[in-house]
């Protein structure tokens, strides 16, 4: 149940804030070039168990991808499901998924020279949503989905900050708003920094990342939270 806020300026120009929710018992590695042979030039946040990535970037190709879980509309036994961890890595190499997929549901947010989009797989259909210029938000359902409480609560607040291109320190202002959102309990369904256990999932927010793909350059930074679902110690 991760969360991404993205501001698209133009084709190939975007800035985003991504929060990762995962089981705290599932170990991960901070942003780095963990796949030098299979994915040369790619950096990402690696899941140690499956070896894949939640967020991946290919600076030379100006590509960025973030993976979010999505509910299935059909039952796929875990024993038959292929890990989704390769999706972001393949994406930033210019290879997007093609249906059918032996995987549980996902939203794959992609930023590349041709623009930004979300590819959504629900276990039956793979759909594409182009991301228009402006500020948007996605979690475990559709882009800007008003049925998602955290989007209803916080998307207007991010939009009120204005276009990131006009902000002197967009990452600082977006991170400050993320910090302000933690006035809500992490168990509140409107929270961005979350404890999803009351909602039936073992995941909690573990880290956040900021990324920008602009004519001035390509930058990704990751920040681990001091403890699961908590902004401060």
């Amino acid at each position: 149940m991760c969360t991404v806020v993205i501001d698209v300026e133009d084709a190939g120009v975007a800035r985003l804030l991504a929060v990762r929710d995962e089981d705290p018992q599932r170990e991960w590695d901070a942003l780095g070039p963990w796949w030098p042979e299979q994915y040369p030039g790619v950096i990402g946040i690696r899941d140690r168990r499956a070896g894949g990535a939640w967020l991946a970037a290919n600076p030379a190709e100006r590509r960025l991808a973030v993976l979010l879980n999505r509910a299935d509309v059909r039952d796929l036994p875990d024993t038959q499901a292929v890990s989704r961890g390769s999706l972001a890595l393949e994406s930033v190499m210019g290879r997007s998924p093609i249906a059918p997929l032996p995987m549980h549901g996902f939203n794959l947010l992609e930023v590349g020279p041709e623009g930004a989009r979300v590819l959504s797989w629900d276990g039956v259909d793979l759909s594409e949503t182009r991301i228009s210029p402006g500020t948007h938000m996605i979690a475990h359902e559709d882009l800007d989905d008003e049925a998602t409480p955290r989007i209803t609560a916080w998307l207007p607040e991010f939009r009120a900050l204005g276009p990131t291109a006009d902000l002197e320190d967009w990452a600082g202002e977006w991170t400050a708003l993320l910090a302000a959102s933690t006035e809500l309990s992490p168990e509140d369904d409107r929270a961005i920094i979350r404890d999803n256990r009351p909602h039936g999932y073992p995941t909690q927010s573990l880290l956040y990342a900021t990324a920008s793909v602009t004519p001035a350059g390509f930058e990704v930074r990751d920040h681990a939270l001091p403890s699961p679902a908590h902004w401060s110690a």
Side-chain angles (χ1 to χ4, degrees):
M1 299 179 71
C2 305
T3 307
V4 176
V5 187
I6 182 170
D7 180 44
V8 175
E9 182 179 343
D10 203 346
V13 181
R15 303 167 184 85
L16 66 80
L17 168 70
V19 177
R20 187 187 188 197
D21 297 350
E22 184 53 88
D23 186 338
Q25 302 304 312
R26 187 159 183 158
E27 295 183 330
W28 52 277
D29 292 307
L31 188 72
W34 301 109
W35 311 268
E37 295 184 2
Q38 189 173 6
Y39 301 105
V42 170
I43 57 174
I45 296 171
R46 181 175 66 171
D47 172 64
R48 290 184 185 174
R49 183 184 301 175
W54 162 71
L55 176 150
N58 186 339
E61 299 294 331
R62 300 176 59 81
R63 293 188 180 278
L64 176 72
V66 185
L67 178 67
L68 306 91
N69 291 348
R70 187 182 180 102
D72 294 328
V73 298
R74 71 180 179 97
D75 292 329
L76 177 65
D78 288 341
T79 55
Q80 298 178 19
V82 174
S83 171
R84 293 165 288 193
S86 65
L87 291 167
L89 294 167
E90 290 290 314
S91 171
V92 298
M93 297 299 288
R95 300 187 290 264
S96 297
I98 299 173
L101 294 156
M103 298 175 175
H104 289 304
F106 61 80
N107 286 323
L108 180 64
L109 188 150
E110 299 183 316
V111 177
E114 63 279 1
R117 66 177 182 173
V118 177
L119 295 177
S120 299
W121 171 249
D122 63 8
V124 174
D125 295 313
L126 182 67
S127 61
E128 175 188 5
T129 303
R130 288 283 173 181
I131 305 179
S132 60
T135 302
H136 305 271
M137 195 168 177
I138 189 168
H140 56 284
E141 294 180 335
D142 294 337
L143 186 73
D144 300 337
D145 196 324
E146 294 181 354
T148 305
R150 81 195 86 159
I151 291 179
T152 301
W154 294 104
L155 180 55
E157 300 294 327
F158 280 98
R159 285 178 169 168
L161 294 176
T164 52
D166 296 341
L167 302 177
E168 183 176 351
D169 178 15
W170 77 269
E173 294 200 33
W174 276 29
T175 300
L177 183 54
L178 179 63
S181 78
T182 62
E183 294 180 7
L184 292 171
S185 163
E187 298 181 352
D188 191 314
D189 210 17
R190 297 169 297 169
I192 302 175
I193 301 296
R194 305 178 58 79
D195 183 344
N196 294 305
R197 292 175 295 179
H199 307 289
Y201 304 93
T203 57
Q204 300 175 69
S205 297
L206 303 180
L207 65 101
Y208 71 95
T210 57
S212 62
V213 185
T214 72
F218 192 113
E219 183 178 64
V220 187
R221 294 184 179 181
D222 62 325
H223 311 265
L225 298 181
S227 62
H230 289 83
W231 187 256
S232 57

